[in-house]
Amino acid sequence: MISDDRISDDRISDDRAPDVGLLSPGWAGSAAEAATGDAAFVRAMLDAEAALARARAAVGLTSAEAAEAVSRAAETARIDPRALALRARASGNPVIPLVDELTRAVAARDEAAADHVHRGATSQDILDTALMTTARRARGAVLADLARTAEAVAALAEAHRATPMPGRTLTQHAVPTTFGLKAAGWHTLVTAARDRLAGLPLPAQLGGAAGTLAAFTAEAPAMAPGGAWGPEGDPGVRLLRVYARETGLDEPAVPWHALRAPVADLGCALALTTGALGKMAADVLVLSRTEVGEVAEGRGGGSSAMPHKRNPVRATLIAAAARQAPALAATLLGSLAAEDERPAGAWHAEWQALRELLRLAGGAARDAAELAEGLRVDPARMRRNLNATRGLVVSERLALALTPLLGRPRARRLLDAAARDAAARGVALADALLAAEPSLADRMPGLAALADPLDHLGSAASLVDRALGRCAP
């Protein structure tokens, strides 16, 4: 074994290569990864700077020529994310070195225009806007995959609307249900998560040094006599409106430097999304166990040691994402308690947490779509498992039928004893009941039918229709 102090410089260089998702196969290669990588984030910051220059020009604070020079330089700039990361240690964020690089690029085109780079803004304006831009771009891919997932699980629910299977509570067979109802439940969770994520505002950020837009209003024409701005209104507010439009983001009511609800809301929605998908994954993991065998992934993964295995890889990766997301969302919720007009530390703690949430949700949504579209369902195995307890899964129904004949206490005692006897002797619950109470043969001639699990599915089929929007609420 080579000790650390003997590793060559070349080896160290290789070991410091960028993170490419080696330990995060859930999001590796996903659209969310592409939208949230370091290079993509540099692009989002450059886009924010270009949008600011265009917005300034639109309200008369910068010439159209200068804004064009800034936009062109931002569009063609090739800035090394690693170099920015290293230089960010001096200032605490990557915007300051980025502005320096962009200013040089603009000056190479138009020296006078370079004075209009980042003018009036603060680092947090650009970084927050880049965060929201990155989130908007990643969200599109997440929503598309959630739509695929919802469509696929709706098809499963429809196809298996009346496919009986054991309902399980606290790991044990409870009463019969249908696979369609289970899939309809997944559909309800997925569509609710999709709708919440789609409806979240993603606001631009622009406030200047302390959220007052003072640097911008100082450049604007003087107020009219009496202290009122001209007919077009407050120039800072106008700039905020135009800037939001230029970025493609929502217009905030006020700068939100220390009002971190937009980030916390987004984080919670992403965690809810991964959790909703995690429920489906958890069910698939249980139902695909060898001894259960009621479903299987269409494309299972292999094992390095056991050739016979086909592991539920998609469900496993989704479950892993669902377990990581809550802690990341908690970091964003913790940053809500941000002091002053711009916080130290709380804002900085959000960056990686939000990016990882976007990646986890994006990867989980992709895997969920593939899982749902390829899921294999085994109704025959479900029926065999349903019959495994020889009628015990309908003890609830038998209790309801016996109560009018025997009274509730006696009926419960009889069923408890019969259930123990059926389990001990390996006989059907109906036979154990008749052995304990022979008079039931005459008093309950339909006992065998009452013990059939297929006749105790309740409103499962109607609930599937309701979940899929095919009947009145």
Side-chain angles (χ1 to χ4, degrees):
M1 180 176 180
I2 301 175
S3 62
D4 288 346
D5 59 348
R6 294 176 56 194
I7 295 176
S8 69
D9 289 342
D10 289 343
R11 173 71 179 277
I12 291 173
S13 177
D14 290 342
D15 287 351
R16 291 179 181 174
D19 180 1
V20 292
L22 180 65
L23 301 183
S24 302
W27 54 251
S30 67
E33 179 194 11
T36 58
D38 284 347
F41 197 82
V42 170
R43 169 50 46 201
M45 290 190 289
L46 290 168
D47 289 346
E49 292 286 1
L52 176 60
R54 293 194 302 271
R56 286 176 56 87
V59 299
L61 300 182
T62 290
S63 69
E65 295 76 17
E68 176 67 12
V70 174
S71 292
R72 286 291 180 87
E75 182 180 351
T76 59
R78 296 294 179 264
I79 298 177
D80 179 14
R82 176 65 174 171
L84 280 190
L86 295 175
R87 291 175 64 188
R89 287 190 51 76
S91 55
N93 74 73
V95 177
I96 293 174
L98 177 126
V99 169
D100 181 54
E101 292 293 324
L102 180 58
T103 301
R104 293 183 190 185
V106 174
R109 293 171 172 269
D110 183 340
E111 189 168 348
D115 191 42
H116 292 270
V117 174
H118 195 70
R119 187 158 170 171
T122 191
S123 295
Q124 191 170 350
D125 291 331
I126 300 305
L127 206 147
D128 277 349
T129 297
L131 277 173
M132 290 293 114
T133 298
T134 300
R136 177 174 59 82
R137 291 168 178 169
R139 181 173 67 173
V142 177
L143 292 175
D145 282 333
L146 289 177
R148 284 177 56 201
T149 304
E151 183 177 358
V153 295
L156 287 170
E158 176 67 22
H160 297 282
R161 178 175 178 272
T163 299
M165 66 178 293
R168 297 173 172 92
T169 63
L170 303 181
T171 76
Q172 306 296 299
H173 282 202
V175 297
T177 183
T178 71
F179 183 71
L181 183 56
K182 184 178 288 290
W186 300 343
H187 181 269
T188 299
L189 286 176
V190 171
T191 54
R194 179 199 63 196
D195 292 346
R196 183 178 181 205
L197 185 60
L200 278 181
L202 301 178
Q205 175 76 283
L206 188 64
T212 64
L213 298 164
F216 302 112
T217 58
E219 292 185 75
M223 287 189 294
W229 296 106
E232 294 184 351
D234 185 304
V237 173
R238 284 192 288 120
L239 178 65
L240 179 59
R241 181 176 299 117
V242 176
Y243 177 66
R245 185 171 67 241
E246 289 290 338
T247 62
L249 297 170
D250 294 298
E251 179 187 340
V254 296
W256 45 280
H257 291 148
L259 310 173
R260 308 308 293 174
V263 175
D265 273 347
L266 176 58
C268 288
L270 292 167
L272 187 148
T273 296
T274 56
L277 299 175
K279 162 57 179 169
M280 178 173 71
D283 282 341
V284 169
L285 290 171
V286 170
L287 299 180
S288 61
R289 290 177 184 271
T290 302
E291 60 271 25
V292 178
E294 294 175 2
V295 303
E297 287 196 9
R299 189 179 60 189
S303 165
S304 64
M306 294 166 282
H308 70 280
K309 292 192 72 181
R310 291 297 178 266
N311 296 320
V313 175
R314 302 276 80 73
T316 297
L317 295 177
I318 297 167
R323 283 162 172 77
Q324 296 174 74
L328 294 166
T331 296
L332 302 183
L333 289 168
S335 293
L336 282 169
E339 72 281 359
D340 301 327
E341 279 61 56
R342 287 173 59 209
W347 169 53
H348 304 71
E350 295 171 342
W351 309 339
Q352 188 64 15
L354 180 59
R355 175 161 76 170
E356 192 63 16
L357 274 169
L358 288 166
R359 288 176 166 181
L360 288 171
R366 174 191 62 176
D367 287 336
E370 294 177 0
L371 171 63
E373 289 170 347
L375 192 68
R376 298 200 302 267
V377 181
D378 189 341
R381 187 66 174 264
M382 291 177 176
R383 181 62 189 270
R384 287 199 298 273
N385 289 341
L386 191 59
N387 292 332
T389 59
R390 299 180 178 86
L392 291 178
V393 291
V394 293
S395 62
E396 175 190 61
R397 187 184 191 196
L398 291 172
L400 294 172
L402 287 170
T403 294
L405 296 176
L406 306 176
R408 186 173 181 181
R410 185 182 173 196
R412 181 58 188 261
R413 288 194 301 272
L414 176 62
L415 271 169
D416 286 347
R420 289 193 297 270
D421 181 47
R425 294 194 295 123
V427 300
L429 177 59
D431 293 337
L433 278 172
L434 290 173
E437 188 69 42
S439 67
L440 292 178
D442 295 325
R443 300 175 69 183
M444 292 185 67
L447 180 59
L450 287 172
D452 185 351
L454 299 187
D455 288 333
H456 194 48
L457 297 176
S459 301
S462 296
L463 290 170
V464 170
D465 293 339
R466 181 181 174 88
L468 300 183
R470 296 177 182 169
C471 65

